[in-house]
Amino acid sequence: MSDVFEIAQSQIDKVAKQLNLDPGLHAIIREPKKVIEVNFPVRMDDGSVQVFKGFRGQHNNAVGPYKGGIRFHQDVTYEEVKALSTWMSIKCSVTGIPYGGGKGGIKVDPRKLSEGELERMSRAFIKAIANDIGDAIDIPAPDVNTNPKIMGWMLDEYEAIKNRSEPGVLTGKPISLGGSLGRTAATGRGVDITTREACKKLGIDMDKATVAIQGYGNVGSYAGMIIQDMGCNVTAVIDVYGGAYNPDGMCAYELDAFVKENGTVKGFPGSKDITNEDLFALDVDILIPAALENVITKDNAGDIKAKIISEAANGPTTPEADDILFENGVHVIPDVLANAGGVTVSYMEWIQNNYGLYWTEEEVNERLEELMVKAYSDGYEMAEKHKVDMRTGVYLNSINKIALALKDRGWATK
Ligand code: NAD
């Protein structure tokens, strides 16, 4: 099974069966409520007009407004957006924040655009979906190849169209526009908090643990730096251009500075290049996939020697691979839990915007710590209780919460 939406649906079906879920509620949860497809023109630097395709998937808003990132990537598809918005509904319920799932994207290789073209495209996309988003409707945020700067352009465009101030319509904004302290590092921090909790359960000493990371962008780099602060040794990293491997370890902060200067981890002083295939098979304690989906499959799952896989990326493991990993005793912290830190601090940003009252970074990190530790422990307990893997345990909790909200809205059949 490689279609991402089929994977998301199969995960829901598995859990619905285990919960003996009401058929009406199951039918609602397995489909997104709305998927918007827009084709919008952008004036290019050479005077030509290019039409871009964008999507916004809105999975479920039973517990609150839709919430989720916008990615710029050449492989973005309608099906992918449906899957990612479904996972966002699950993810928001994992830490118990009052949001449903949304996700958007533009089919584009942003590396081929100038800065001006990127800005005009970002603004044009928001113009195309302006009536489908809002701080009480659907709240986008950064994802692959999007960042606070792009959120700033999008907020500016949205507020100009609506003729009002509405900072809570987007999260992951620059601090000057109402962004939250701690948001940029939040996803990586959340990955590491759950990894630390898993290490405690498995009796792994973080001071002796080694880590391999696929993807050294926003999430991967913070995951690397914070896990190093927790005591671990980062021995391998890779990005789209190449890898860096050093069995003695590499400084995650120096790697981050190297990427900022050179655009890649490849060529990091003292390291050897490494392929994705080799990185996944490395003898490390912790493996953090922080790039794209479907990278751990039935073909490479059996080679994985890591004791913990912390899914920083969305959907990195196929269901067939999941079964192999479970049989091999690998502790997989599922994406909807491991990377929920970003959306959790996005929620804090939205609260701060709505109140016009801003918290210190320490306050944000403390609240994140509390919510992530509880989410990990709830998922672990559920998995133990039902003798299932962590993903199923976490899904059981989340689907229960969404189903209850739908039931209380009157949608159960019995
Ligand atoms: P990013 O664009 O900042 O970084 C992506 C990284 O992956 C880059 O280093 C890129 O070079 C690397 N990469 C891409 N293709 C690769 C390949 N084939 N092989 C190896 N490396 C490759 O994106 P990000 O924001 O760090 O997001 C990474 C993942 O985390 C995505 O799956 C995203 O959906 C998920 N995520 C992000 C956030 C967030 O707050 N940014 C929150 C939750 C989940």
Side-chain angles (χ1 to χ4, degrees), residues 127-193:
K127 201 166 140 194
I129 63 165
N131 287 332
D132 294 293
I133 61 172
D135 66 2
I137 303 171
D138 182 354
I139 307 150
D143 194 76
V144 177
N145 293 332
T146 53
N147 54 33
K149 186 178 188 179
I150 294 173
M151 295 303 112
W153 294 332
M154 289 181 166
L155 178 73
D156 185 64
E157 190 69 22
Y158 178 84
E159 290 186 337
I161 292 166
K162 298 288 173 180
N163 191 28
R164 62 170 180 254
S165 169
E166 193 181 323
V169 64
L170 292 154
T171 60
K173 299 180 293 291
I175 303 295
S176 63
L177 298 177
S180 178
L181 294 171
R183 172 61 183 88
T184 315
T187 306
R189 184 177 298 281
V191 167
D192 293 344
I193 294 170

Side-chain angles (χ1 to χ4, degrees), residues 240-297:
V240 70
Y241 304 105
Y245 171 60
N246 184 338
D248 297 329
M250 296 171 286
C251 172
Y253 288 87
E254 284 173 18
L255 269 167
D256 182 54
F258 187 83
V259 171
K260 286 199 174 99
E261 201 170 318
N262 301 286
T264 174
V265 295
K266 188 176 151 91
F268 182 71
S271 75
K272 283 197 305 195
D273 198 358
I274 188 170
T275 63
N276 273 315
E277 200 186 348
D278 291 342
L279 180 132
F280 281 115
L282 274 181
D283 191 5
V284 288
D285 298 289
I286 298 161
L287 176 62
I288 304 181
L292 297 171
E293 57 268 11
N294 286 342
V295 291
I296 302 175
T297 66

Side-chain angles (χ1 to χ4, degrees), residues 5 23 26 56 67 86 102 104 106 137 146 151 153 181 188 222 236 252 296 309 335 339-340 386-387 396 398 405:
F5 184 57
H26 180 194
R56 185 73 189 168
K67 180 88 193 81
T86 306
I106 301 177
I137 303 171
T146 53
M151 295 303 112
W153 294 332
L181 294 171
Y222 280 104
I296 302 175
I309 297 178
D335 49 4
N339 69 31
H386 288 267
K387 305 254 173 297
L396 284 166
S398 280

Side-chain angles (χ1 to χ4, degrees), residues 9-55:
Q9 282 191 316
S10 79
Q11 290 165 340
I12 289 173
D13 293 345
K14 184 170 156 190
V15 171
K17 204 166 156 194
Q18 240 151 348
L19 286 172
N20 195 19
L21 192 65
D22 176 276
L25 304 182
H26 180 194
I28 295 172
I29 295 171
R30 76 190 302 283
E31 292 290 346
K33 199 162 169 182
K34 192 172 176 183
V35 188
I36 301 145
E37 178 175 334
V38 289
N39 296 291
F40 54 96
V42 177
R43 177 78 61 190
M44 308 306 279
D45 288 347
D46 64 3
S48 66
V49 169
Q50 196 172 323
V51 174
F52 290 88
K53 191 179 278 301
F55 305 97

